Amino acid sequence: MANARWVLMWVAVVAQWACATDASVRLSAPVRLAGAVGAVPVASRGASGLAAAGEVQVGVAAAANLADAPAPVLVALQVPAEDAPGAPSRLDEVQRAVALAVPDFQIGFRYQRVPAMSGWATPKVRQQLAALPQVVGVTPDRDVSVSLAPGQLVQASQVKQATGWSGKGVRVAVVDSGIDSQHPDLVGRVVAQHCVGTCPAGPGLAPDEEGHGTHIAGIIAGQGKLAPVGIAPGSELMAVRVFGKTGKGSMSQVIAGLDWLAALPPAARPK
């Protein structure tokens, strides 16, 4: 239960941030490993010491600039409390009610655990959605991208030496551009894969065409064959691809990746 609460807490934080702010965000993120190759949607949109700082950039989707055209949106929902502990969530019921009430809303993601849905809406449809009692808010679905740039070293191998962490018994979800599971430093570390958005190998595989996710994975669990050893080389990895080969995605895709993790059986989740 503690793991489930932890996952759901972070899903809720991301969903709340996406539905509540128009501010730009810049986060730190490292570059790729040496040698790196480089929620199910209802309607999908078409480690090492070598680490350096990069950035994540968030902006309003370009389609939102078209006054009357459908623009990508996130719809936060109010879901009634469960009738009893352990009872099924009524989220699906609420999502269906919204879809029936506003048939012109073009649905993208219907999340399984996050009380929200995504899609495309004209200004008129946005007003109709916002007027529904089940809807908490309607905001733009922002574009998100990861990029690689030189910067400060993470020194993962020094962290491991200082802490003595092995990572044994730990499972880490990397929600990023995927993971190259055949990278010499990561062979045997990836135990689960999922892809959101554009998936060249299907939704059950998360190959990394950009390189960012592979490097993050190496910082965590790199075996030290091509690059310095990771912080916790004994840990297992879950590759959740939400950014494509150009490093671009959307907040709805990031939420969908977290939603997939939250919907897994407890034994299969990060731990």
Side-chain angles (χ1 to χ4, degrees):
M1 288 299 295
N3 288 333
R5 287 194 297 269
W6 184 88
V7 173
L8 289 171
M9 177 186 71
W10 281 105
V11 170
V13 167
V14 172
Q16 182 180 25
W17 177 87
C19 292
T21 180
D22 289 323
S24 295
V25 173
R26 299 170 72 89
L27 304 174
S28 295
V31 299
R32 73 182 65 203
L33 272 167
V37 176
V40 180
V42 174
S44 179
R45 306 174 187 235
S48 68
L50 299 177
E55 63 181 17
V56 175
Q57 297 178 331
V58 181
V60 176
N65 295 324
L66 302 176
D68 297 321
V73 295
L74 287 167
V75 182
L77 303 173
Q78 178 68 46
V79 180
E82 298 174 357
D83 297 329
S89 169
R90 298 176 64 183
L91 175 57
D92 181 70
E93 173 187 331
V94 172
Q95 291 170 334
R96 290 178 181 274
V98 170
L100 288 172
V102 187
D104 290 334
F105 177 42
Q106 303 171 37
I107 299 174
F109 291 101
R110 285 178 56 179
Y111 302 116
Q112 300 177 70
R113 292 291 184 272
V114 178
M117 55 200 303
S118 74
W120 293 265
T122 63
K124 179 180 178 180
V125 169
R126 290 185 60 169
Q127 291 178 352
Q128 293 173 342
L129 288 168
L132 294 177
Q134 302 96 331
V135 173
V136 176
V138 182
T139 60
D141 180 11
R142 293 164 177 79
D143 295 327
V144 186
S145 65
V146 291
S147 62
L148 304 171
Q152 185 177 5
L153 297 178
V154 173
Q155 304 291 1
S157 57
Q158 293 185 20
V159 173
K160 180 187 181 305
Q161 184 176 7
T163 61
W165 292 338
S166 69
K168 185 176 180 180
V170 174
R171 186 182 303 129
V172 183
V174 180
V175 183
D176 206 293
S177 60
I179 296 176
D180 176 9
S181 61
Q182 299 306 306
H183 190 287
D185 281 337
L186 299 173
V187 171
R189 295 292 93 201
V190 179
V191 298
Q193 301 186 53
H194 182 67
C195 178
V196 176
T198 302
C199 303
L205 294 174
D208 187 3
E209 298 178 285
E210 200 279 337
H212 191 275
T214 296
H215 188 70
I216 296 295
I219 291 176
I220 299 167
Q223 301 300 292
K225 295 180 180 179
L226 293 184
V229 68
I231 294 173
S235 59
E236 298 177 336
L237 298 171
M238 303 176 72
V240 183
R241 171 175 163 147
V242 297
F243 301 117
K245 65 180 180 181
T246 61
K248 296 180 180 180
S250 66
M251 282 305 305
S252 61
Q253 290 176 323
V254 174
I255 295 172
L258 295 171
D259 184 68
W260 177 77
L261 291 168
L264 290 172
R269 295 173 187 161
K271 61 179 183 178

